[in-house]
Every structure is written in C-alpha cells, then in structure tokens.
Amino acid sequence: MNKKALYFLIVLFTCFIILITSYIQWRVKLSSFNNIQTTSVKTEERSSNEGEKVPEKLKSEITDTTNISDLLLKTANQDQVVQDLFKKRFDSGEKVNFLIVGSTYMNSGSPGYGDQLSLALTETYGNHIQVEVKALEGSSSTLVDDLKNIFNPSTHYDIVLLEPFTLNNNGVVTPEDQHKHIVLIQKKIQSFVPDSVLVLHPAQPLPNGVFYPKEVQVLREFAQSKNIPYINHWGQWVDANSAVKNGLVDDNSEPTTEGAKVWSNALINYFIAE
C-alpha cells in the first residue's frame, strides 16, 4: 500500500470518528431538550391544577362563613345579650355550651320540653352547640345546696336556661329567697364563664291558681329589674279568659304531652327563629 492510499484511509477514518462523535453529542442535546420540555409541561399542568384548587378552597371558606351567617339569623328572637354570646362563640369557632335545668316538670309529657328543646337546638346549630339537660327534685333551695356539683371547673356553661322552681317553691320558699337563689346561681355560672348568660322561664300555669300567678309575675318583674332574659310562655297556655286550655295539664296540674309541646314550642321559638 503506497503512502497516498494510507493517507486517504487515515483521513477517512478520522472523518468517520468525527461524524460518530458529533451524532452522539447531538442525541445527548436532543434528549436534554426533550426533558426540559417535559418538565415544563408537567410544571404548567401542576400549576394549572393548583390554580383550579384555589377556588375550591375559597368556596369552602365562603360556605363556612355563609353557614355561620345563616345560623346567626336563627338567633333573631333572642334577647340581645343572648344573641351576642352566640355570635361571639360562633366567630371564635367555639361551641355554645348550653344547660337546660329546672324541676322535674321538664320531663312531664312524652317527651318533655327539655328533650324537645335539646333536640331542636342540636338539629339547628349542629356541632356549634353542646346541650345538657338536668331535671332536679325539690325547690330552688335544693338547687343552691347542690351548686358545687352542678357548676364547677369541669362544667363551663355559656347559656343556662333555668326554670327556677317557682311552682315547687310555692309555700316552701319565699319569692325574696327565690330571687336570692337566682342571683347566687348567676354569680356561680359567671365565676367560671364571665360572659355566660342566665335565661329564666316559669313552670306551667295552674288552673284556678291564686297565689302562684302572683309569684310568677313577681319573678318576671325581678328578672326585668336585673336585666335577666325572661321567656314568658304562659300566653300560649291560656285562652282569652286567661284560663288554662283543656288538655294541656293533667289532674295533677302537670303538663301533658300537648302541654309539653306548647311549652317547648315557646322555648324553641325564642332560641330558633324561623
């Protein structure tokens, strides 16, 4: 093989090596470019998906706000101080701890007004409220003697709906002492929850009652003088002549099922506006 032929083969081999090397580099660059494009597309898709989630989050927040607004509309019939407490708890994301307490007349009827009110409150305000029901024997003196067991550091009530044993107190506890008991109860619940609210309502009216209606009137005036919310439901029990309607109390002057319904409806209407 002469020198020209050898030189030609060397040049040809060198060109072949350069061509192969250039092809390999081109493939590497092309692959890198494709990876960059793929990453960009995925990033754009992810950004797009995340962008779609933002309205859902906002929608959830709006729904929660709207829900609270709707619930606050249900407090329209309450005294302002009660409305303010509901709003304060709702705005802070806390539950309203609600206690229904009074004499065993709350269990009269099937069901009694206590259970009916408790169910209505829970169904309306859902997980924004916690309701307890306590029916006690005896008079308001009995309740005061048991205050430390009912109201203590482990029980923090925001709303206490109290039927203050006025009927049971008749002839046993004077109205003046009953009023002192109410003040003691109010101070006790506010010692644990300073902004808690006590709400009063009387027991059922009696047919042909003489002294009892006067004691209830005195109770109402006392509540007004102390700015304690008072639910006067007697108007739903009596007719145009102020006589208790037939079928609302039994022979023992205790609420029947219909009487308990009248009682609970009045309380429900106060705490839950339609």
Side-chain angles (χ1 to χ4, degrees):
M1 180 180 296
N2 56 36
K3 291 183 178 180
K4 289 184 177 181
L6 180 61
Y7 179 78
F8 176 78
L9 288 175
I10 291 173
V11 171
L12 183 62
F13 180 77
T14 301
C15 291
F16 179 78
I17 293 299
I18 292 173
L19 182 62
I20 292 298
T21 302
S22 298
Y23 177 77
I24 292 173
Q25 289 178 345
W26 176 78
R27 293 292 299 175
V28 170
K29 290 181 179 180
L30 180 62
S31 176
S32 298
F33 178 75
N34 287 336
N35 286 338
I36 292 173
Q37 281 190 321
T38 302
T39 302
S40 298
V41 170
K42 289 182 177 179
T43 302
E44 289 175 1
E45 290 177 350
R46 185 167 62 251
S47 298
S48 177
N49 290 336
E50 290 175 352
E52 291 173 359
K53 291 180 181 178
V54 172
E56 292 178 1
K57 182 179 180 181
L58 291 176
K59 182 179 179 181
S60 175
E61 292 176 351
I62 291 171
T63 300
D64 290 342
T65 303
T66 303
N67 183 44
I68 294 300
S69 298
D70 290 343
L71 291 181
L72 288 174
L73 292 176
K74 297 292 185 180
T75 68
N77 293 341
Q78 302 169 6
D79 286 274
Q80 189 62 52
V81 66
V82 183
Q83 290 186 50
D84 291 345
L85 189 140
F86 268 81
K87 186 177 187 304
K88 186 176 180 180
R89 295 297 184 270
F90 289 168
D91 288 346
S92 63
E94 299 178 80
K95 289 186 177 182
V96 174
N97 291 314
F98 195 111
L99 174 65
I100 304 169
V101 61
S103 68
T104 53
Y105 290 123
M106 77 165 64
N107 294 331
S108 299
S110 182
Y113 82 78
D115 289 338
Q116 293 185 61
L117 176 59
S118 175
L119 179 61
L121 289 169
T122 303
E123 288 182 341
T124 300
Y125 296 109
N127 58 7
H128 296 284
I129 197 167
Q130 180 70 42
V131 184
E132 291 184 43
V133 180
K134 294 183 184 292
L136 305 174
E137 301 278 356
S139 65
S140 59
S141 294
T142 308
L143 174 59
V144 168
D145 291 341
D146 201 32
L147 276 185
K148 64 180 180 181
N149 292 322
I150 300 175
F151 306 106
N152 54 64
S154 65
T155 59
H156 294 80
Y157 299 114
D158 300 305
I159 303 288
V160 175
L161 176 64
L162 172 65
E163 181 265 291
F165 301 84
T166 308
L167 182 52
N168 285 3
N169 284 346
N170 192 15
V172 178
V173 177
T174 65
E176 293 76 18
D177 285 340
Q178 181 192 43
H179 300 165
K180 292 178 182 178
H181 295 162
I182 292 171
V183 171
L184 285 174
I185 294 167
Q186 184 181 44
K187 288 182 177 179
K188 189 69 172 180
I189 63 175
Q190 291 181 344
S191 68
F192 299 112
V193 183
D195 62 348
S196 62
V197 179
L198 178 67
V199 181
L200 300 178
H201 66 119
Q204 73 278 9
L206 295 181
N208 304 317
V210 177
F211 297 107
Y212 175 55
K214 295 178 181 179
E215 292 173 346
V216 169
Q217 179 60 31
V218 170
L219 171 66
R220 183 179 181 182
E221 293 171 354
F222 167 77
Q224 291 174 340
S225 70
K226 296 295 183 180
N227 294 317
I228 299 175
Y230 181 89
I231 304 173
N232 181 20
H233 56 84
W234 274 22
Q236 283 74 35
W237 292 79
V238 298
D239 58 22
N241 297 317
S242 298
V244 178
K245 296 176 183 177
N246 291 332
L248 299 186
V249 295
D250 61 20
D251 293 339
N252 296 318
S253 297
E254 295 188 10
T256 61
T257 296
E258 282 301 310
K261 186 176 181 180
V262 167
W263 197 345
S264 66
N265 283 346
L267 300 176
I268 290 170
N269 183 63
Y270 176 86
F271 286 105
I272 306 169
E274 292 297 331

